[in-house]
Amino acid sequence: MGKFDDNERIILNVGGTRHETYKNTLRTLPGTRLALLASDSDIDSVLDQLQQVPGFIEYNARNNEYFFDRHPGVFAYVLNYYRTGKLHCPADVCGPLFEEELSFWGIDETDVEPCCWMTYRQHRDAEEALDVFDINVDNGDEDEETGKRFGIEDVVDPNISRWKKWRPVVWNLFEDPYSSRAARVRAHRRL
């Protein structure tokens, strides 16, 4: 096994969780925040460049440790991407949070592995479906026409509010792929 100089090691404290890796590992993705941190430039100029992007970073010279006030669970996936070249999306983190963290670290979202792409995109698909629903409500579409568009022929009591009427439909759209034609189309798009 090769021997690495202690100067090649770098300690990253992200949200209170310490991660230790090699500078060479961080250089595998040039143009990202961590690659800049691992550059051969002096610490002050690197910190100045890193501070240009919003996000708290602090350097502790005594411990030779960089502190980022970011999500530590997501960072484990980010660091693993530097190590393996494969970016996976955690299933227990919502898409917008993961998207925000990728943006902070300077990683392109299109690098997410195909096996995780649907998990990552799920929040956007839901937002798009709800936007379509909002457009129909805002345009004052007749209940019958909207019901047909969503694959629901029978609409409930006209005296209740629109949300109470459509809430079960929207839930079924995302949870039960056999509840309507629209749900089947959405489920098919996810495959």
Side-chain angles (χ1 to χ4, degrees):
M1 285 187 81
K3 192 173 182 183
F4 282 95
D5 183 10
D6 279 345
N7 291 333
E8 281 298 306
R9 283 189 178 179
I10 188 167
I11 300 170
L12 306 168
N13 181 334
V14 180
T17 303
R18 291 182 59 174
H19 301 270
E20 191 169 342
T21 191
Y22 293 107
K23 288 184 178 183
N24 283 339
T25 300
L26 301 182
R27 291 183 188 120
T28 58
L29 298 173
T32 61
R33 187 173 271 247
L34 292 177
L36 178 62
L37 190 64
S39 70
D40 293 327
S41 303
D42 68 282
I43 291 173
D44 290 329
S45 67
V46 168
L47 288 174
D48 286 342
Q49 288 178 324
L50 289 173
Q51 290 292 1
Q52 291 176 5
V53 177
F56 187 76
I57 179 175
E58 179 182 296
Y59 177 68
N60 183 334
R62 189 182 65 204
N63 298 338
N64 193 28
E65 180 176 290
Y66 295 89
F67 175 77
F68 294 89
D69 192 16
R70 304 302 297 185
H71 193 287
V74 172
F75 183 73
Y77 287 86
V78 169
L79 187 56
N80 194 50
Y81 178 44
Y82 281 86
R83 291 176 175 147
T84 65
K86 296 180 185 288
L87 179 59
H88 293 279
C89 179
D92 62 339
V93 173
C94 71
L97 172 64
F98 192 65
E99 187 175 352
E100 182 180 322
E101 290 297 309
L102 291 181
S103 175
F104 176 80
W105 296 110
I107 296 173
D108 187 3
E109 70 176 10
T110 59
D111 292 344
V112 172
E113 287 295 306
C115 60
C116 295
W117 186 248
M118 293 310 296
T119 302
Y120 175 69
R121 286 281 304 176
Q122 190 173 15
H123 74 281
R124 286 196 187 153
D125 292 342
E127 287 173 357
E128 289 170 7
L130 289 173
D131 285 344
V132 168
F133 180 71
D134 284 341
I135 289 170
N136 290 335
V137 171
D138 292 342
N139 290 340
D141 283 354
E142 293 297 319
D143 287 339
E144 198 172 296
E145 183 182 325
T146 305
K148 286 181 183 177
R149 185 173 295 146
F150 281 102
I152 308 147
E153 274 63 36
D154 54 336
V155 180
V156 211
D157 180 14
N159 296 328
I160 62 174
S161 71
R162 281 188 188 262
W163 176 240
K164 283 186 179 180
K165 191 183 310 180
W166 288 101
R167 182 175 39 195
V169 174
V170 172
W171 284 348
N172 282 334
L173 180 67
F174 294 103
E175 293 178 3
D176 183 7
Y178 301 105
S179 63
S180 66
R181 285 180 293 205
R184 283 191 292 278
V185 167
R186 186 189 172 284
H188 181 69
R189 279 187 50 200
R190 290 185 64 199
L191 298 176

